[in-house]
Amino acid sequence: MGMTLTPIGPVTNPLPSRMPRREPYLRIEWIDEITAAKGYLVVDKLVRGMATGGTRMRAGCTASEVADLARGMTNKTVAFDLPVGGAKGGIDFDPKDPRAKGVLTRFCDAMRPYLDNHWVTAEDLGVSQQSIDEVFAGLGMRQSFHAAIERSATPAATAERVAAGLNASAPGGLLGDVIGGYGVAQAALAAARVRDWTLGETEIAVQGVGTMGGAAAYYLHEAGAKVVALADATGTLYDPSGLEVPALLESRNRFGEIDRGIVGPGVQVLEREAVLGLSCDVLIPAAVSYALTLDNCEDVRASIVVEAANAATTPDAELSLAARGVAVLPDFIANAGAVAWAWWLLLGDVGEDYRDSFGRLAAVMRSKVTSLLTEWNPAEGPVRWAAEVDTRVDAGESLVIP
C-alpha cells in the first residue's frame, strides 16, 4: 500500500466563512495496492491530542471534500463544547463493491498510528457503524472509538459502557444508529416552532433514507409532522397528504433502498432529484455532500433547509438561498447530534437509557436552533455566518476518559 504526507492541494469548494482561513493540521493520501482505491485522512485540528470524525466511502470522494468535512467536524466540536478537534476519513470507492470491506480494512490498517493515538472515527456515508466496528475488531482494536477508549484508566470497562450505549434499544432502532437522525428531527421541529407553524400541517421532504435521513424522517413522523417525500438512490416517493414513513423505512434493503412493491396507489414515484424542488416547508438533504448547488437551488421551494448530510449545500447555493430568505441550518449544528452524543457517552455523561440521551440532545438542539433563527437576518448572509464559532483556540492538557 502507498501513503504520502505531501499536500493534496487547496480546498476547491470551501464553505462560506467570515473566519480567518487556516490550513489543516495533517493531510494524508493513501493508495490501495490491490484496487488502486484512494483514501484520505484530514486532521483539521487536534485538541488535547485528539480529533474526531467519521470515515466515508463513495465513488468520487475527493481530498477537498474530506478537508471540507474535517473542518466541519471542528466546527461541530466547538459548537457543542466537546474537548476534541475535528478530522475526517474518506475513500474513493463504491461501497456496494464486494471488495469494499477489504478496502476499508486496509485503509484503517494504514491509518493505525492515528487510530491508535489521535483519531476517533465512526460511521459515515457508505460505511455503517457495524462494518467499521467489525474492521476494528479484526485489526485488534476494541471499537471505532478505540483511541479514546484506550486513554481510559479502565479500557475494558469503558469499552463495555460504550458498547452498551451504542446497542441500547430506542424507539426506531438502536440508540447508536438513530441518535444523529433524532437530532436532525429536533432541529427541524425547533425551526417549525420558531416560525410558529402548526406541526400537523408542516410539510417535510427528506432526501436520503439511510441512517441519518431515515431516523430523521421517523422521528418527525412520530412527532406529528407531515413527511410528504422520501428520496432514495432509485427515486422520490411523494404524497402531499403524508407518507406512511415507518412502513416504508421497514422495507429498506441493506443499501437503504425502499421496496417499491409496498408503495400505496396514492404515492407518486418521481425522479430522484425531484425531492429538491417539491413544495414543502422544510427540506432535509440527508444523502450526499453538495446536493444543493447554484444550478439547482432555484428549484428549492422550502423556506428552511436542514443539513442532515455534511456540507449538503455549496457556498454559492447557500448565498443564493439566503438572498431569497431561505434559512439553511448548517450541518455543524443540525447534524452534530451523533458526534456530540458519542462524546457524551465516552465521557460518561449519558448511558444506555435512551431517554437521557434524547432529553439532553433535544434541549441542546432546541436552544441552539431557536437562538439562531430568531436572531437571523437574511440581509447579513447565511445562517452559517451567524452560527460560526472561533476554532483557533486549543486546550492544552491531555484528554482524560473516565
Side-chain angles (χ1 to χ4, degrees):
M1 63 191 70
M3 183 166 62
T4 64
L5 297 177
T6 55
I8 56 178
V11 176
T12 59
N13 194 14
L15 298 176
S17 174
R18 295 188 294 189
M19 291 290 180
R21 300 283 297 177
R22 58 172 177 75
E23 286 297 305
Y25 173 81
L26 174 73
R27 294 185 285 191
I28 296 174
E29 178 179 307
W30 166 84
I31 300 175
D32 182 26
E33 287 184 337
I34 296 176
T35 65
K38 286 188 176 181
Y40 311 98
L41 167 62
V42 177
V43 177
D44 181 70
K45 187 178 185 65
L46 279 182
V47 173
R48 300 183 181 181
M50 297 289 291
T52 191
T55 297
R56 66 172 41 192
M57 180 184 289
R58 74 171 189 89
C61 183
T62 67
S64 61
E65 174 186 344
V66 176
D68 274 356
L69 298 171
R71 186 178 303 108
M73 289 304 304
T74 295
N75 287 334
K76 291 179 187 182
T77 63
V78 176
F80 281 75
D81 299 317
L82 305 178
V84 292
K88 205 74 175 184
I91 304 171
D92 179 4
F93 198 73
D94 182 357
K96 294 183 179 180
D97 191 301
R99 299 171 295 170
K101 187 172 183 180
V103 172
L104 179 61
T105 299
R106 292 186 291 276
F107 174 78
C108 290
D109 191 32
M111 300 301 130
R112 184 68 184 261
Y114 307 96
L115 293 169
D116 269 336
N117 298 290
H118 303 292
W119 177 30
V120 170
T121 193
E123 67 177 331
D124 201 274
L125 180 70
V127 177
S128 70
Q129 188 64 43
Q130 179 181 353
S131 65
I132 199 165
D133 281 345
E134 289 174 355
V135 164
F136 269 62
L139 292 173
M141 296 182 281
R142 297 176 190 273
Q143 195 265 344
S144 77
F145 298 175
H146 170 78
I149 290 171
E150 292 305 306
R151 290 191 177 215
S152 170
T154 56
T158 301
E160 184 176 343
R161 173 166 53 81
V162 167
L166 287 168
N167 295 296
S169 294
L174 297 180
L175 182 55
D177 291 337
V178 302
I179 191 71
Y182 178 83
V184 171
Q186 292 304 312
L189 292 170
R193 292 187 191 100
V194 171
R195 296 293 173 89
D196 201 27
W197 293 337
T198 300
L199 186 56
E201 298 174 2
T202 301
E203 298 180 340
I204 298 175
V206 182
Q207 179 202 38
V209 291
T211 301
M212 188 74 75
Y218 175 86
Y219 290 115
L220 286 165
H221 178 271
E222 293 302 292
K226 188 188 295 185
V227 179
V228 298
L230 293 174
D232 61 14
T234 61
T236 296
L237 302 178
Y238 174 62
D239 186 345
S241 65
L243 294 167
E244 291 298 323
V245 173
L248 293 173
L249 296 180
E250 185 65 27
S251 78
R252 290 173 296 180
N253 63 22
R254 67 189 183 94
F255 299 118
E257 297 163 350
I258 294 170
D259 181 1
R260 272 24 184 199
I262 72 160
V263 174
V267 177
Q268 300 178 44
V269 182
L270 309 174
E271 295 295 322
R272 182 175 62 182
E273 298 304 314
V275 66
L276 302 177
L278 293 174
S279 176
C280 61
D281 300 301
V282 179
L283 172 64
I284 302 179
V288 295
S289 300
Y290 319 131
L292 292 175
T293 68
L294 193 60
D295 291 335
N296 64 19
C297 69
E298 288 299 318
D299 297 333
V300 172
R301 298 166 69 185
S303 61
I304 294 175
V305 174
V306 179
E307 288 193 316
N310 291 313
T313 312
T314 62
D316 45 11
E318 199 163 350
L319 289 166
S320 178
L321 289 166
R324 291 169 47 201
V326 178
V328 179
L329 287 177
D331 52 1
F332 68 86
I333 299 294
N335 79 3
V339 67
W341 175 80
W343 281 90
W344 295 340
L345 180 63
L346 277 164
L347 295 169
D349 297 331
V350 296
E352 56 188 293
D353 188 335
Y354 79 88
R355 292 169 295 188
D356 295 336
S357 297
F358 278 15
R360 178 169 181 166
L361 182 53
V364 172
M365 194 66 75
R366 183 163 53 244
S367 174
K368 291 183 180 297
V369 171
T370 299
S371 176
L372 277 175
L373 288 185
T374 300
E375 299 173 6
W376 180 55
N377 179 358
E380 296 178 354
V383 177
R384 181 180 304 275
W385 289 359
E388 265 182 336
V389 290
D390 192 336
T391 63
R392 291 172 294 171
V393 179
D394 281 306
E397 67 271 25
S398 294
L399 178 64
V400 176
I401 304 294

